[in-house]
Amino acid sequence: MKKLLASLMALSMVFAVTGCSESNDSENESKAEAAKTTTTTTAPAAESKADTTTTTAAPEESAADTTTSANDTTSTGDEAKGTYKDNVYTSDLYTFKIDSKKWAMQESAGVDVMFTYADAGDDAELESASINVISMSNDLLNGLTASDYADQIKQTYNSMDGYTVTNDKEDKFAGKDAYIVDVTGEIGSQKVLLNQIITSDNGNLVVITYGASENAYSKLSDEFKTVLDSFELK
């Protein structure tokens, strides 16, 4: 499960690097470098034809090793802009509620914030679940739209062996226009389900990625929905 979780994290890094490639060269370089060096996102991940997620393997770490207390008001990760206090994560662009008894905040380069499921009990598969958020302000995007970013996500997954885009639609999220991209894939013997919600507000881009192994996903669908329903875009 640790390898599966790491792979889920590494896949989300593709979008952080890809999304900035058309908006700001220096920002892209720093994110790419962070994705290469952080141990929490290093993974024996699925092979990519584009080879965009290649990293150097590192010893596995327990998810608890990088957990941040719910009472810690400092932000986490290179791109983090928010604070997490009293079960509420708040950034300049959005806010959402997430129960610290069920979800543990992790340090992860390239994203604003990442949470992994911490209330697994004896069900180790639940540890594969994660939610992360990437945001980019209007002054960094240089015209990159939510639609452009959604297209990049689809192209990335379509270039990866074993991954299939199963849903691609326009919808509403937190009262804003959004693009929904759902993906299935395989990591070893595990089937994984990943979802992306891409939206923008006043030109600022917000991308939410969440997912888990197939069995864990079905068990945690209500937990995911609770977190997603709490999102507010500023």
Side-chain angles (χ1 to χ4, degrees):
M1 280 306 147
K2 292 178 183 178
K3 290 183 178 181
L4 175 60
L5 175 59
S7 296
L8 290 170
M9 293 179 182
L11 286 172
S12 71
M13 296 304 98
V14 174
F15 310 138
V17 175
T18 304
C20 285
S21 64
E22 295 184 10
S23 60
N24 184 288
D25 290 341
S26 61
E27 184 76 7
N28 179 50
E29 291 173 2
S30 65
K31 285 187 177 182
E33 184 63 26
K36 290 178 182 177
T37 57
T38 182
T39 57
T40 57
T41 58
T42 300
E47 293 181 5
S48 167
K49 293 178 182 177
D51 200 26
T52 54
T53 56
T54 302
T55 54
T56 302
E60 291 183 7
E61 297 183 48
S62 168
D65 292 342
T66 54
T67 300
T68 306
S69 167
N71 294 322
D72 188 346
T73 59
T74 60
S75 56
T76 179
D78 288 3
E79 300 303 310
K81 302 175 180 66
T83 59
Y84 184 39
K85 186 176 182 180
D86 297 330
N87 295 322
V88 177
Y89 185 85
T90 304
S91 82
D92 291 341
L93 302 181
Y94 57 86
T95 183
F96 64 94
K97 298 177 182 178
I98 187 162
D99 190 344
S100 61
K101 294 180 180 179
K102 297 181 178 181
W103 297 90
M105 190 165 72
Q106 306 291 330
E107 293 183 0
S108 183
V111 301
D112 295 359
V113 66
M114 173 180 286
F115 288 88
T116 57
Y117 196 68
D119 192 27
D122 295 329
D123 191 345
E125 276 199 339
L126 298 183
E127 295 177 359
S128 68
S130 67
I131 299 174
N132 68 55
V133 186
I134 299 168
S135 67
M136 283 165 275
S137 61
N138 188 35
D139 59 349
L140 291 176
L141 291 172
N142 288 339
L144 184 73
T145 66
S147 176
D148 295 334
Y149 200 87
D151 287 341
Q152 290 181 11
I153 285 176
K154 289 182 288 184
Q155 290 170 12
T156 298
Y157 274 122
N158 285 333
S159 72
M160 297 175 67
D161 292 335
Y163 285 81
T164 303
V165 174
T166 57
N167 186 33
D168 168 21
K169 65 179 182 179
E170 296 183 39
D171 207 335
K172 291 286 186 179
F173 178 75
K176 306 294 182 181
D177 291 336
Y179 294 85
I180 311 297
V181 179
D182 300 334
V183 177
T184 62
E186 294 181 1
I187 299 177
S189 61
Q190 292 283 352
K191 183 176 181 179
V192 297
L193 305 180
L194 295 173
N195 309 89
Q196 288 80 38
I197 301 172
I198 306 103
T199 188
S200 61
D201 185 28
N202 295 321
N204 300 309
L205 189 69
V206 177
V207 182
I208 302 161
T209 302
Y210 63 99
S213 67
E214 185 175 32
N215 290 338
Y217 190 101
S218 62
K219 296 175 183 178
L220 293 176
S221 59
D222 288 343
E223 296 293 342
F224 285 134
K225 186 176 186 303
T226 296
V227 176
L228 295 173
D229 286 348
S230 72
F231 262 84
E232 295 181 8
L233 301 175
K234 297 182 178 179

